[in-house]
Structure formats: C-alpha cells, structure tokens
Amino acid sequence: QFLQVKTGLLDSILETICFYNDVGEKCHRVTHTHPYVLTYTPLCIEVIRAGLQLTANLCVGNHAVQGAVWARLYPAMFTTLLKSIDKQVKNYVSCIMFHCTAWNGSQALEDICTSEAGKALIRTCLALCEQPHCLEWSQLFVEGVICVERFIPVYDMCEDDNKLIFTLLEILSEKIVSSPTASKKQLFGELESAVPVNTFLYLAKLLARNKQHIIDLATGSEVPEGEVTVRILHILANVTGLWEHYTRITHNTPFLECVVKMLNEINTRQPIKFDQPKEEVAPDGSFAIRRELIRVITNMSCNNKNHQDKVRVLGGVHTILNHCVVDKQNPYLAQWSIVSIRMLTDGNAETRRL
C-alpha cells in the first residue's frame, strides 16, 4: 500500500476514474466531441471498475489513503458514480465509503452524517440495499454506520420515507439475528455483532412514543404509519432475549411498564377469544403483536425479581394467563404465554401464590 501511494499510483488511479467518468458524461450530452472509445463503452466501464476496486483495496486499514481518497471523491464523484449504469461500479463505490467511515473518529463519518450531500449518499446506499439492486457493499456500509453509533441520525434523515426506514430496520434486524461469518469478523473486527445499546434504547423510546399505533392495530383499527412501530417491536422482542449483550435494555423498567400496560390495554379493548376459528388467516398489520409483547415481558422477567414483581403489580400475570390459547393471528402465543408464566414465577413466592 505504502509503495503504491508513494509512487503516485493512487493519484493516477483517481485521475483516471474522474477523467473517464467526466468524458463519459460529456459524451452523453455532446455527440462526436470525444473519441468513441472514451464514451460509456464496456472498455470505459472496465477502467472505472478496476480503478475503483484498486482504490478500495488501498483504503483497507490505511487512514492516510482513506483521507486522500475522501478529499478527492467526496461528495461529487461519489454521488455521480452511485448513479452509474453499472452495478459493480456502485458496489465498489460503496466499498470505498465503507472503509472510509466504518471506524470511530473518522472525519469522513462526520462529513457524511452531518452534511446534506452526505445524507443524500446514505439514502442512496439504503436504496441500493433494496430490490432489485441488493448490493452487498451498500449493506455493509450501512451496517458499519450503525456499528459506529450513527443509527439515530440515519433514522432521522430517513424518517419521511417509510420504505427506507423499513430497509434500515431490516438491516439492523439481520445484524442482530444472523451469526457472524468468518469474512465479516475479519472485515468488521471488534465492530462485529456489536450494535451499540443506544440504538435499542432509542427504538424503545420510539415504541413508547407510538404505543397507540400498537394498541390500535392489535384491536382491529387501520394505522398505516403503525407498520414501522410493529417492526420496531419485533426487533426489541429479539434484542431483549440477548441478556449477555444488552443488559441496559433488558433492565429498563420503564420500558417493561410500557409494554405491560400496552398488553393490558389491548386485552381490555378486545379480549382474546378462546373459541378461535381453525382456518388460516392472512398476516396483516396486527400479525403477532400480542405474542411479541409477551416475548418482551418474558425476556425482561427472566432472573429479574424486580421485573417479576412489577408485572404482577401492573396486573400483567392475569393478562398473560388469558393468552394461553391458540390464535392463528399470533403463532405460538400459548407457548410463549406458558414460558412467560414460568419466568414470572421462577423464584418468586408472591407471584406463585397469586
């Protein structure tokens, strides 16, 4: 890396990328001004591809190279190249952005999270994670931003676009539940599987703020904007089961109180039926809401007497007992309710007497 940079190779590569891209752009606007070979022909695309790939390789673990590349390509060239007609070009650009930003203290990370041009790049990369693109390096770039405690600003900058919010939440969910691969461990280092707990504390606040969405959907009302809140509930149901990693969220008593009160309110407004129809139901916005609320209560009450007592005082034990039924809209509802009662009574004489 050092020799290639010292000999001027990096500067030559960046000059070539900018030159070929600029000429290709001009040849789309002005005909016959430049030789045909320099337009967006397969050769031109191949030069840009190879240049970006080599640049990405030079950026790996080298902060000096990352700074030089960022100063030259951000934001204009990154913005232009992410709009390329070639999928691999967009993938290599995302790779460069990942290496420049996926570490705490990176100036590039601050630039991209605070400037309007940088925010536009993040939204573009999120869109490239969706169908039909599904670019691997774009997803890794977003994962890297999440792991260096920038989930909250990214969520805020996408708040007016539910599609991007869903994509962001899906990437976060996959990061939580999927086992780390050897290649990802090498790529992320200490960041692998280390989504900061502040991310989930923020989601818990969002869920509490929008709890009416959950209550309305679970009781038959239509709340289009509530789908994001339900997705957040699913994520928190998974996270609260990871006791060894996220004790600050599993010991968050105000959040537990909010969840128990939501379940109580749902059961008061629409009590669970014991004579459920046997036919299959099509999943809708209310799918598995009750089950996920009980999952959260179960996870947060495990080996935690204070939380066990809190659920009992709030009347949650009776509500959970009422949910020991088969409900097609909430798969495994009875099983999770039984496990929840087991956790609530474990080592708790008062709850057992109740």
Side-chain angles (χ1 to χ4, degrees), residues 113 119 122-123 126 150-161 164-165 168 202-203 206 209:
C113 289
K119 293 176 182 178
I122 292 176
R123 288 193 291 266
L126 271 170
R150 295 303 187 278
F151 174 86
I152 297 174
V154 173
Y155 188 97
D156 290 342
M157 70 181 67
C158 300
E159 201 165 13
D160 58 344
D161 189 329
L164 290 182
I165 288 291
L168 178 62
Y202 175 73
L203 291 180
L206 284 179
R209 188 186 308 161

Side-chain angles (χ1 to χ4, degrees), residues 63-237:
H63 294 178
V65 173
Q66 293 166 8
V69 171
W70 193 260
R72 184 63 188 273
L73 300 184
Y74 175 82
M77 281 303 300
F78 282 145
T79 302
T80 301
L81 292 169
L82 282 176
K83 297 176 182 176
S84 170
I85 59 175
D86 185 71
K87 185 175 181 179
Q88 279 299 91
V89 166
K90 292 183 280 195
N91 212 25
Y92 290 138
V93 171
S94 300
C95 178
I96 294 171
M97 290 170 58
F98 166 80
H99 287 300
C100 291
T101 59
W103 50 281
N104 279 307
S106 165
Q107 183 57 47
L109 179 64
E110 294 304 316
D111 292 342
I112 205 166
C113 289
T114 55
S115 69
E116 290 305 315
K119 293 176 182 178
L121 285 173
I122 292 176
R123 288 193 291 266
T124 301
C125 283
L126 271 170
L128 291 175
C129 298
E130 302 167 351
Q131 295 286 355
H133 312 286
C134 299
L135 297 187
E136 180 183 10
W137 276 109
S138 293
Q139 179 167 337
L140 288 171
F141 164 71
V142 176
E143 286 185 23
V145 172
I146 290 173
C147 285
V148 288
E149 300 189 24
R150 295 303 187 278
F151 174 86
I152 297 174
V154 173
Y155 188 97
D156 290 342
M157 70 181 67
C158 300
E159 201 165 13
D160 58 344
D161 189 329
N162 270 5
K163 190 175 181 183
L164 290 182
I165 288 291
F166 266 108
T167 302
L168 178 62
L169 292 175
E170 285 301 319
I171 292 172
L172 175 63
S173 180
E174 185 177 337
K175 183 76 177 166
I176 300 166
V177 301
S178 60
S179 300
T181 61
S183 59
K184 272 196 176 184
K185 282 183 178 179
Q186 183 177 8
L187 188 63
F188 279 88
E190 294 181 359
L191 292 176
E192 177 59 31
S193 297
V195 180
V197 69
N198 287 342
T199 298
F200 305 115
L201 294 173
Y202 175 73
L203 291 180
K205 289 180 181 177
L206 284 179
L207 181 65
R209 188 186 308 161
N210 299 313
K211 62 183 180 181
Q212 199 58 45
H213 293 168
I214 298 290
I215 295 170
D216 290 343
L217 281 169
T219 53
S221 302
E222 291 188 9
V223 187
E225 64 273 22
E227 294 180 3
V228 170
T229 312
V230 173
R231 192 70 192 91
I232 290 173
L233 173 61
H234 289 312
I235 291 173
L236 291 172

